Amino acid sequence: MSVRNAFLGLLAQKPRHGYELRAAFEAIAGGGVNWDVKPAQVYATLDRLAEAGLVVCTSDLGEGDEPGRRVYALTEAGLAALRQWFDEGVEPEHQRDEFYIKLMVALASGAGDPHRILRTQRGLIYQRLHGLTTQRNALDARVALAQVLLLDKAIMHLEADLRWLEFVEARLGDIQRQPLPAPQVRARGRPKKGS
Amino acid sequence: MPIVETQNLSKIYGAGEVAVTALDHVSISVEAGEFVAIMGPSGCGKSTLLHLLGGLDSVSDGSVLIDGQNLAGMKDDDLTRLRRRKIGFIFQFFNLIPVLTAQENVALPITLDGVKPAEARARAAEWLTRLDMAERMHHRPDQLSGGQQQRVAIARALVADPDLILADEPTGNLDTRAGDEIAETLRQVSQQWGRAVVMVTHDPRIAAYADRIIFLKDGKVNDQTILAPRRNGDAATAAAPLQAPA
Amino acid sequence: MNMQLTLASRYLLGRKLRTALTVLAIAFGVLLIYGLNSIMPSFQQAFQANAMALASQVDASITNRAGAAFPAATLARVTAIDGVRTAIGTLERSLGLPADFFDHDPATPDRVAAVTLMGGEPAALRSMATYPLEEGRFLEAGDADAVVITRSLAEAAGVGLGDTLRLPTTGGLAALTVVGLLPQRLLPGNEEALVTLGEAQRLLDLPGQINVIEVNFDSAEKARRDQIEANIRAALGPGFTIGVLQAGAELLNSIEMGQQMMNLLGILGLLMGGFIILNTFRTVVAERRRDIGLLRAVGASRRTVTGLILVESLLLGALGSVIGLALGFGLARLVTSALAPMYGQFLNLQIPLPGFMPGLALAAVGAGVGVTVLASLLPARAASRVTPLEALRPAIGPASLRKLTGVGFWSGVLMLALAVAALLTRSATWLSLGSLLFVLGLLLVSPALVTPIAALFGRLAALLFARDGTAQLAEGNLERQPSRAALTASTTMIGLAILVMSAGMISSISITFQRMLRTSLGSDYLLVPPAVATWGLSVGANPALAEELRAVDGVQVVSTLRFAGSQVGDLPISVLGIDPPAYEQTSGLTFDQGDPAAAYAQINAGRSVIVNGLLASGAGLKLGGTVNLLTATGETPYTVVGIGGDYLNAKLPTAYISQANIAADFGRREDVFYQINLKQGADPAAAEAAFKRLLQPYPQFKLVAGQAYIDQNLALFDAMFAGLYAMLIFLAIPSLIAMVNTLAIGVIERRREIGMLRAVGATRRQVRRVIVVEALILAAIGVAFGLLAGLYLGYMAVVALSAYGFSMDYAFPGSAIVVAIAAGLLFGVIAALIPARQAAGLPIVSALRFE
Ligand SMILES: Nc1ncnc2c1ncn2[C@@H]1O[C@H](COP(=O)(O)OP(=O)(O)O)[C@@H](O)[C@H]1O
Ligand SMILES: [Mg+2]
């Protein structure tokens, strides 16, 4: 979703080739290390956008039909879609957490050691944090402030994760003592799809 | 060979009913040029471990080896001498002597060791310059910000060319930015100048600067995380040009 | 209040060493006040009891104001007065005995040092008092050579009924037969020997004279008795006094003066205690600012905070005072029991051990607690000004140097200038004001001087023995709290100032007196009575002895002194009769004004007098003026022809007149002191042997070679110096406490710093050295100021004494200065011992943890 919208925005800046678009996106996102988009994904997205009439492919003269040679530009509808994106907030997403599920499953199944899982996660986050701080300190904030701030955001979230892990670890015993959340038994029928 | 090593180190405060086991069979070792953070909840024994590593307090059981030398059974004066030549300390509060200027504070350990005042001052100035404190050389501690005071303390810890720097919550009293700077400086101390640094902290952000984190819980080592793989050999080469003139 | 009490006691218990030291300081002051004050009354009591014992059963004793004897006919005038029921006339005289009079053993002094010879008509005596005889009989009219004594005197003298008791008199040894024994004396005091009036007049060479009239009134009613006393006064005129025994007044006076001196010492001690307490509480407040801020933040009012500090000081003060009281009681008993034998011997007084004196105790405790609370008042006020914000602010190192050359400094400088100016006025009032100004000025100036002096000595110490930066640390520590350092140093300063001042005074006095000594006592031989200068207690000899001495082969000249007590206005004075031609040859007065030759000539010519400086300034006499001396017959005018004095009488206002005049106006013919010169080439051994033979009946005199006597007197000055150094030790105690206190407080305050020093590699020895150097610098400051103040005060005292009539040269007390410097620095090191040990012994980790 955000890649799609970002492409719209970058095309609003000027019409671009697909590979050009990919490079511009990666630069803004703080480099391929942070967020890398495969070329296939770029073209698939562009195709979908063209299908929806948000972009048009203005093939360059004599450059053939290869996807790499195609130049894309924004349409009126595309601009409207971009405006709509700007007008809406971005939903923060924290409740759907893989680590949490992993821990709960371990607790429920008894197949994994929750302490071990916690430690592994903590170690991983610390390693990421170490990497991020190293990365961040290698940047010069006088010219790359935007990237520094992005890294700061990531660092702060990792810090928050670490604090949360500390809480979890401290209260693990209590969690284990409490009954695990059980599925609500319905009288009839299957639960609705998508819930 | 590790710079500092503990073997089944225990520390028990008090006796009988009121005995508190602050450390319980802790075995760790720190290599030259390594930057180790010690983390854990308050009261888990971090400071106690640091004090024992520095020979500031006596062990109840087990041993502490500095550069292969067992601290147990050393006479106080020998211990003091070892401390002043091999170990540099950085604390959270009141790190400096208020009546001395930054330069005099830095020069203190080597002055106490009998280095001539003029030379001691010169070496102090050198380290302060290296730590970006050249302009504050003649200020008293109360004329310096917290971050600057800590920098002076780091310079003082380094002035005698010790192998090991021990820091107890060096950023505990500082804001995030100053804390980051101090942590970065300590990383520099280990990476660039090849000293072993053991730092106690409860701030994950600061701990992330280290190469390795040791987690303590209730006086025991609970976990260790390696954050950066050992950089073989680089410490030694980097440290060489910085040895003080003999 | 309850909460304050809890907090106060917790804080006090939390700092045991400091609490102990502060308590000690207060205890010391209270100890001095109580201890010394309770000793003196003991002595006074003993003396008064003695006097009372003599006058116990009579309503009034009438004596001549000059203490002179008067014609027995006066008795008839008293008897005739309305309201007088009975009156008797007696002739009494205290006979001072040489220390080896009875047992002839100079090593063990006799228990009885004086005997009062009491002559009265037997019948009259018995009408006044009862004399319960144990053995023998009472005196009878017409008895010759008979004496009644107490059993205790008989035992001391080793005689029994019918034996012969020998007593020294002006006519030589008197031999009296013991006819009766009275019971042992119960009340301590003079032993009495009762003889008939005629016998006494013969023995004392005062024919037809009496010196006491004892009177019983016919009423016990107060108004009537006052009336009778008034009648007596009217009948006898101003030459007589009723009631008190004149002879004792002088002694009581000097006892009172001693008491005042000791009070001064006590007050000084307490003052130092005050300094220490001020100091302590200032630190207490400084290091507790956070706590106090917290208290304020949680709702304590300013008043509560002030109260907290005051309650703490109250607790300290009360504790210190009670301890001081107990120690003072002990000290009083100790000193009394040590001094009593000595006094018993000199004055024949039995000194009782002092009992507990509730009034005095209350006053001493009041002073102790008062000074403590007063001293803590300023810090308490400072504490109340701490804002709640202080609890929230992180503590910043207190290294900021305040501007120290403020109003206080400059007013101090002004005071010093005024004090020096006061020296130029040479007026006693200005001088004493000047000394006060000088000390105050020094105290005010000192904080500003601490930094430069500390820097100087710090550098010195760094050069000498503390090369490793420790001297610099010590110096910095002192400069951090200059006013506290100054306050501490000021206790040392006071102690040393007193030492140097006294040394300056004593050496000046000593030099002046040595010069006088050589003029006054320059003769070959002296005959010295047991009590020199308190001539009234000595038994002299008739003129016959002098004649006999003159007749000895080889004697060139014999001059004598005769003595009478007198008064000028209300000032009790000594009157000495000299015989100028002879006196000039053997001895001489040191003249301040007037021509010696002319003056000697004039006193022989008429009623002329040479007065010493003390008398001249005391009575405001000028050369050529007139002075009215109180004689046996009333006031008699004398012309002042010279101002000067001799060594022996320098401490007392003294008038020198001719021996003819002292006989005529005072009825004295008795020689109390002799100076003898031999002819050139005479055989000293033979002369000495002759003197000894002549003196056999006069054991009251000791033959001394002139030079030996001078040496003895010089030894006395040495003893005075020794006493001075003893005093120094005494005064050292509070300054020692103050220094220990400040240093210990410094250690407590800087625990964390010391822990840090140790952590970065200071050895125990180096930490110790920091504290010792600090103490040395403190001591050096104290010494510097002490010397300054002492020299000024000493010089001032000499100038002031000159203004009072003791003219003398100022002698620079070089040796005392050396002693003062050595002692001051030594105290510094001693004071540092405990705190230095404490600092060096601090466990590093706990010091670092210390909040
Ligand atoms: N001097 C002491 N006496 C008694 N107990 C102590 C002492 N010092 C520390 N402790 C206890 O030892 C444990 C560890 O303390 P410390 O090492 O200071 O913890 P932290 O990890 O917070 O630095 C704590 O429970 C503390 O209460
Ligand atoms: Mg700690």
Side-chain angles (χ1 to χ4, degrees):
Chain A
M1 195 68 183
S2 39
V3 175
R4 189 191 84 135
N5 287 322
F7 281 7
L8 292 179
L10 289 170
L11 290 178
Q13 196 185 5
K14 64 173 193 202
R16 294 172 197 262
H17 288 293
Y19 65 87
E20 212 182 330
L21 200 59
R22 174 169 172 255
F25 177 82
E26 279 192 1
I28 276 188
V33 211
N34 262 353
W35 196 335
D36 98 292
V37 202
K38 300 276 172 314
Q41 196 190 345
V42 172
Y43 293 109
T45 309
L46 283 172
D47 287 347
R48 248 176 293 150
L49 287 172
E51 232 167 82
L54 299 178
V55 300
V56 285
C57 168
T58 58
S59 274
D60 261 354
L61 301 169
E63 287 193 35
D65 223 20
E66 283 171 65
R69 299 290 181 203
R70 277 181 243 150
V71 173
Y72 293 86
L74 199 66
T75 66
E76 280 300 313
L79 192 62
L82 182 65
R83 292 232 169 87
Q84 198 193 347
W85 186 50
F86 285 141
D87 288 343
E88 286 166 2
V90 177
E91 199 61 49
E93 175 62 273
H94 287 295
Q95 282 96 313
R96 226 156 88 176
D97 188 296
E98 188 188 336
F99 169 73
Y100 174 76
I101 295 296
K102 193 197 279 182
L103 187 68
M104 294 315 276
V105 169
L107 286 174
S109 64
D113 175 3
H115 287 281
R116 212 182 133 85
I117 290 173
L118 268 172
R119 284 206 294 263
T120 309
Q121 182 67 10
R122 184 173 61 193
L124 179 85
I125 298 182
Y126 266 114
Q127 276 159 9
R128 292 295 164 270
L129 192 57
H130 183 80
L132 286 177
T133 46
T134 312
Q135 210 183 329
R136 177 187 171 283
N137 286 329
L139 286 174
D140 186 350
R142 278 169 298 187
V143 293
L145 185 59
Q147 284 94 315
V148 168
L149 290 179
L150 175 66
L151 289 172
D152 274 342
K153 181 198 166 190
I155 288 171
M156 284 172 188
H157 276 286
L158 288 185
E159 276 182 64
D161 284 346
L162 285 168
R163 296 229 163 81
W164 178 71
L165 284 183
E166 250 173 58
F167 286 159
V168 174
E169 189 179 20
R171 309 300 299 273
L172 203 58
D174 294 340
I175 300 172
Q176 280 171 316
R177 268 190 293 282
Q178 283 175 7
L180 280 166
Q184 275 186 329
V185 183
R186 296 221 171 182
R188 219 182 318 160
R190 275 188 255 161
K192 271 185 191 157
K193 226 181 164 182
S195 66
Chain B
M1 192 175 74
I3 289 294
V4 59
E5 189 177 3
T6 71
Q7 291 162 353
N8 281 326
L9 182 63
S10 296
K11 176 71 186 179
I12 297 164
Y13 287 112
E17 301 234 327
V18 292
V20 177
T21 306
L23 286 182
D24 192 0
H25 295 90
V26 171
S27 301
I28 60 167
S29 85
V30 178
E31 303 283 327
E34 203 182 2
F35 184 5
V36 175
I38 296 179
M39 294 198 72
S42 173
C44 70
K46 303 184 295 289
S47 296
T48 305
L49 176 60
L50 206 72
H51 293 153
L52 293 182
L53 290 183
L56 295 179
D57 207 351
S58 58
V59 305
S60 304
D61 195 17
S63 58
V64 176
L65 304 171
I66 301 236
D67 229 359
Q69 248 184 306
N70 195 338
L71 297 191
M74 258 171 124
K75 274 208 290 278
D76 187 81
D77 275 4
D78 297 335
L79 203 57
T80 303
R81 214 146 294 138
L82 176 117
R83 212 158 42 220
R84 109 178 138 195
R85 295 184 183 157
K86 295 231 154 126
I87 306 174
F89 284 94
I90 302 163
F91 302 103
Q92 179 177 359
F93 293 114
F94 307 106
N95 227 327
L96 305 174
I97 305 278
V99 295
L100 301 181
T101 63
Q103 192 185 23
E104 289 164 345
N105 262 295
V106 173
L108 190 61
I110 46 178
T111 318
L112 287 171
D113 206 15
V115 174
K116 290 228 172 54
E119 192 199 326
R121 270 200 299 278
R123 275 167 69 178
E126 195 182 323
W127 273 108
L128 282 168
T129 311
R130 210 167 277 166
L131 291 170
D132 256 350
M133 289 289 298
E135 278 141 53
R136 304 286 162 153
M137 206 112 85
H138 302 295
H139 290 212
R140 290 202 188 220
D142 58 341
Q143 297 163 326
L144 296 175
S145 75
Q148 288 169 332
Q149 288 187 31
Q150 257 347 15
R151 240 162 236 285
V152 175
I154 294 174
R156 188 189 55 197
L158 289 169
V159 75
D161 273 316
D163 300 318
L164 175 65
I165 306 284
L166 299 174
D168 193 352
E169 310 233 10
T171 64
N173 215 17
L174 304 176
D175 60 24
T176 318
R177 205 190 150 108
D180 274 336
E181 277 174 20
I182 293 302
E184 180 59 32
T185 310
L186 287 176
R187 176 143 78 178
Q188 195 182 8
V189 166
S190 79
Q191 268 182 23
Q192 207 170 324
W193 299 329
R195 315 283 187 249
V197 177
V198 178
M199 170 183 71
V200 164
T201 183
H202 61 257
D203 186 348
R205 181 194 181 93
I206 298 298
Y209 280 84
D211 301 333
R212 179 156 59 109
I213 303 179
I214 296 173
F215 293 94
L216 284 187
K217 198 180 167 191
D218 298 333
K220 295 195 186 83
V221 175
N222 175 254
D223 186 17
Q224 285 207 39
T225 301
I226 306 222
L227 304 181
R230 291 285 299 131
R231 292 154 278 113
N232 281 330
D234 57 352
T237 46
L242 277 163
Q243 291 299 327
Chain C
M1 185 68 198
N2 217 345
M3 184 271 298
Q4 286 165 323
L5 212 63
T6 315
L7 276 175
S9 49
R10 292 280 158 77
Y11 276 127
L12 290 177
L13 288 177
R15 292 270 193 277
K16 294 213 180 59
L17 179 69
R18 176 194 300 177
T19 306
L21 287 171
T22 315
V23 163
L24 213 62
I26 303 161
F28 186 78
V30 171
L31 173 146
L32 285 182
I33 290 195
Y34 180 82
L36 300 179
N37 268 305
S38 65
I39 294 170
M40 281 300 147
S42 261
F43 281 65
Q44 237 162 343
Q45 247 172 24
F47 195 78
Q48 265 157 350
N50 193 38
M52 295 307 282
L54 294 177
S56 59
Q57 286 137 325
V58 298
D59 288 328
S61 298
I62 300 169
T63 51
N64 180 269
R65 263 177 73 191
F70 44 85
T74 317
L75 179 62
R77 276 157 65 199
V78 174
T79 319
I81 291 167
D82 177 39
V84 172
R85 198 181 53 195
T86 45
I88 65 166
T90 56
L91 185 58
E92 297 170 17
R93 170 87 190 254
S94 176
L95 305 177
L97 305 178
D100 51 354
F101 184 69
F102 287 127
D103 59 5
H104 305 290
D105 175 9
T108 54
D110 290 352
R111 197 186 64 78
V112 176
V115 171
T116 301
L117 186 73
M118 168 124 168
E121 293 305 340
L125 285 174
R126 294 193 101 152
S127 72
M128 220 41 141
T130 47
Y131 293 93
L133 284 165
E134 284 200 339
E135 259 185 87
R137 64 175 176 83
F138 196 65
L139 298 170
E140 283 163 12
D143 266 347
D145 299 338
V147 67
V148 172
I149 59 174
T150 60
R151 185 168 293 286
S152 38
L153 176 58
E155 276 166 18
V159 295
L161 200 61
D163 288 347
T164 304
L165 174 74
R166 288 180 199 282
L167 288 176
T169 71
T170 54
L173 267 184
L176 302 169
T177 310
V178 178
V179 298
L181 284 176
L182 292 167
Q184 191 146 345
R185 258 193 105 87
L186 290 178
L187 270 173
N190 269 349
E191 292 289 354
E192 273 176 14
L194 294 172
V195 295
T196 59
L197 184 58
E199 182 76 45
Q201 288 169 341
R202 186 179 64 77
L203 290 175
L204 299 177
D205 197 18
L206 292 165
Q209 306 271 76
I210 55 177
N211 61 4
V212 180
I213 297 175
E214 293 186 336
V215 183
N216 271 354
F217 297 163
D218 64 0
S219 169
E221 191 196 327
K222 176 91 175 72
R224 171 74 178 146
R225 293 169 74 90
D226 290 347
Q227 176 61 43
I228 300 169
E229 274 188 36
N231 288 346
I232 297 173
R233 255 181 251 285
L236 295 181
F240 288 85
T241 57
I242 303 174
V244 264
L245 288 176
Q246 197 58 32
E250 198 182 328
L251 205 61
L252 271 180
N253 255 347
S254 73
I255 289 179
E256 260 164 35
M257 213 161 87
Q259 189 174 9
Q260 275 169 12
M261 291 267 297
M262 297 208 173
N263 259 341
L264 205 70
L265 216 66
I267 288 171
L268 223 62
L270 212 58
L271 213 70
M272 290 192 184
F275 269 131
I276 297 170
I277 292 154
L278 181 63
N279 196 345
T280 308
F281 277 100
R282 271 159 68 130
T283 337
V284 162
V285 171
E287 82 182 5
R288 241 187 259 158
R289 285 189 94 79
R290 277 182 84 111
D291 294 20
I292 295 169
L294 200 67
L295 275 176
R296 298 272 288 124
V298 300
S301 66
R302 275 163 186 263
R303 190 195 285 269
T304 314
V305 171
T306 315
L308 172 65
I309 303 288
L310 288 183
V311 165
E312 227 177 297
S313 73
L314 206 69
L315 287 180
L316 278 178
L319 190 63
S321 298
V322 168
I323 293 175
L325 209 60
L327 292 178
F329 186 69
L331 176 83
R333 296 207 145 221
L334 206 78
V335 168
T336 315
S337 48
L339 282 186
M342 224 159 82
Y343 267 78
Q345 192 199 324
F346 278 119
L347 298 175
N348 199 32
L349 291 183
Q350 305 277 307
I351 314 288
L353 279 183
F356 184 74
M357 280 177 257
L360 178 60
L362 220 61
V365 170
V369 175
V371 163
T372 316
V373 172
L374 220 64
S376 67
L377 216 56
L378 274 176
R381 276 174 50 94
S384 78
R385 271 186 247 112
V386 173
T387 64
L389 265 182
E390 309 246 1
L392 312 172
R393 228 181 278 151
I396 303 168
S400 62
L401 290 179
R402 267 194 304 114
K403 192 166 172 279
L404 284 164
T405 45
V407 184
F409 175 80
W410 289 113
S411 43
V413 169
L414 186 73
M415 284 185 187
L416 290 180
L418 282 178
V420 173
L423 270 183
L424 302 177
T425 66
R426 309 234 147 208
S427 122
T429 338
W430 285 114
L431 283 170
S432 47
L433 196 70
S435 62
L436 206 70
L437 281 178
F438 195 83
V439 174
L440 265 179
L442 266 186
L443 288 180
L444 283 174
V445 169
S446 50
L449 298 182
V450 163
T451 306
I453 296 183
L456 181 75
F457 284 102
R459 213 142 301 152
L460 208 67
L463 272 180
L464 290 180
F465 62 99
R467 271 178 243 263
D468 48 6
T470 43
Q472 194 186 7
L473 277 174
E475 178 197 325
N477 286 334
L478 287 177
E479 286 169 14
R480 156 152 59 157
Q481 296 264 328
S483 16
R484 197 205 306 159
L487 213 61
T488 312
S490 57
T491 47
T492 314
M493 167 186 129
I494 292 177
L496 290 182
I498 290 173
L499 169 85
V500 173
M501 175 187 93
S502 325
M505 251 172 80
I506 293 183
S507 53
S508 300
I509 293 175
S510 147
I511 287 205
T512 311
F513 277 8
Q514 277 178 32
R515 207 183 55 211
M516 256 168 133
L517 198 62
R518 292 190 198 282
T519 4
S520 301
L521 303 173
S523 58
D524 295 339
Y525 291 99
L526 308 168
L527 298 188
V528 185
V532 178
T534 44
W535 305 109
L537 281 178
S538 307
V539 184
N542 289 334
L545 178 59
E547 286 312 321
E548 285 169 6
L549 290 169
R550 284 188 186 106
V552 169
D553 203 24
V555 167
Q556 185 187 31
V557 63
V558 174
S559 93
T560 66
L561 287 184
R562 296 182 181 172
F563 167 81
S566 177
Q567 282 180 315
V568 171
D570 285 329
L571 181 71
I573 66 163
S574 302
V575 176
L576 289 180
I578 56 176
D579 47 349
Y583 187 70
E584 262 179 296
Q585 286 171 32
T586 57
S587 160
L589 300 174
T590 310
F591 277 83
D592 290 337
Q593 288 179 39
D595 172 49
Y600 286 134
Q602 273 171 299
I603 67 166
N604 260 354
R607 279 217 167 80
S608 296
V609 63
I610 299 169
V611 296
N612 71 357
L614 209 52
L615 175 54
S617 73
L621 303 180
K622 299 256 173 342
L623 195 63
T626 308
V627 56
N628 287 322
L629 298 182
L630 182 74
T631 64
T633 51
E635 292 197 341
T636 311
Y638 276 79
T639 311
V640 179
V641 296
I643 295 179
D646 70 330
Y647 168 75
L648 292 175
N649 299 288
K651 321 193 264 293
L652 301 167
T654 306
Y656 304 89
I657 59 176
S658 69
Q659 292 189 344
N661 283 334
I662 206 169
D665 290 341
F666 297 88
R668 294 303 171 105
R669 252 173 235 90
E670 173 186 340
D671 294 318
V672 291
F673 189 75
Y674 299 78
Q675 289 177 288
I676 306 168
N677 269 0
L678 298 184
K679 285 190 189 112
Q680 205 87 44
D683 175 14
E688 266 176 54
F691 297 150
K692 289 222 172 97
R693 203 174 49 247
L694 284 178
L695 284 175
Q696 245 156 23
Y698 301 96
Q700 61 265 47
F701 285 110
K702 202 159 85 189
L703 178 72
V704 189
Q707 190 53 47
Y709 194 66
I710 289 177
D711 291 346
Q712 255 178 37
N713 273 275
L714 291 184
L716 208 68
F717 280 110
D718 289 346
M720 263 160 94
F721 272 109
L724 196 67
Y725 295 135
M727 187 175 83
L728 174 75
I729 292 170
F730 216 51
L731 283 172
I733 295 171
S735 66
L736 212 60
I737 295 174
M739 250 205 265
V740 173
N741 209 347
T742 298
L743 292 170
I745 288 168
V747 169
I748 293 165
E749 251 182 350
R750 295 199 302 268
R751 274 176 73 104
R752 190 184 282 277
E753 269 175 62
I754 291 168
M756 233 236 337
L757 267 180
R758 296 272 289 123
V760 304
T763 56
R764 286 184 201 282
R765 180 202 296 264
Q766 283 171 323
V767 167
R768 221 171 3 236
R769 196 176 303 148
V770 172
I771 309 291
V772 170
V773 170
E774 217 173 293
L776 276 178
I777 296 178
L778 264 182
I781 295 172
V783 168
F785 286 160
L787 290 185
L788 220 61
L791 287 175
Y792 173 87
L793 292 177
Y795 185 70
M796 187 228 57
V798 168
V799 173
L801 279 177
S802 300
Y804 274 118
F806 291 105
S807 69
M808 56 177 103
D809 311 321
Y810 181 69
F812 191 78
S815 67
I817 285 179
V818 175
V819 170
I821 292 174
L825 297 183
L826 189 70
F827 290 168
V829 175
I830 293 176
L833 286 182
I834 299 175
R837 274 181 64 94
Q838 205 191 15
L842 273 182
I844 305 173
V845 170
S846 76
L848 288 172
R849 234 181 252 277
F850 182 80
E851 205 68 58

